[in-house]
Amino acid sequence: MLELQNRLYEFTKMHDEFISDWNHAMSSGDTSAVDRMSEDYYVDFFNRGNEKPTFFTKQEALNGMEQSVRHFLGSNKRFENRVIRLRNNENAVVFYELLIVKDENILARLFTIENWRLINEKWMIIRETEEPIS
């Protein structure tokens, strides 16, 4: 049990740094520090209503991330109501409400689920699910 608690502490510290890296990317435009995606990473983006989700590969997600950062440059990403759960010593899930805020105006709200895996002693995102919040 102590080993799992230590792993949770290590993961939480890493995810806090990930959040900090995101805010640096949003102010600088440099997304290199937030590319923590595994080679087989993918993201499903659920649209409003009953539409089928849009699926993005790692490369498509990286391209979209760079475009999004350029579009929202100067904004801040807030990771609200974050909950972290370890499935085991090598797998973690993070749930949160993502807010993109500029000049105190909320530009976007997304419900996000990240699935992480410890690969070669480094935490990597293996898949992500996002859905806009109305």
Side-chain angles (χ1 to χ4, degrees), residues 1-10 86 89:
M1 187 65 169
L2 184 60
E3 182 181 350
L4 203 57
Q5 288 176 330
N6 288 339
R7 184 70 75 178
L8 177 60
Y9 173 79
E10 291 168 8
L86 292 183
N89 275 338

Side-chain angles (χ1 to χ4, degrees), residues 81-134:
N81 305 308
R82 181 178 67 163
V83 176
I84 297 172
R85 294 292 182 261
L86 292 183
R87 295 180 188 266
N88 53 43
N89 275 338
E90 289 87 32
N91 292 280
V93 180
V94 183
F95 308 85
Y96 56 86
E97 176 184 354
L98 174 63
L99 301 173
I100 300 177
V101 181
K102 186 169 187 173
D103 301 325
E104 297 186 33
N105 295 315
I106 297 174
L107 306 176
R109 290 178 66 208
L110 299 167
F111 178 68
T112 303
I113 303 171
E114 298 170 345
N115 287 268
W116 293 75
R117 181 173 295 145
L118 192 61
I119 301 172
N120 297 324
E121 300 302 315
K122 185 175 179 181
W123 285 102
M124 305 292 287
I125 303 174
I126 59 171
R127 74 176 174 269
E128 199 168 348
T129 304
E130 294 195 5
E131 182 174 345
I133 300 171
S134 300

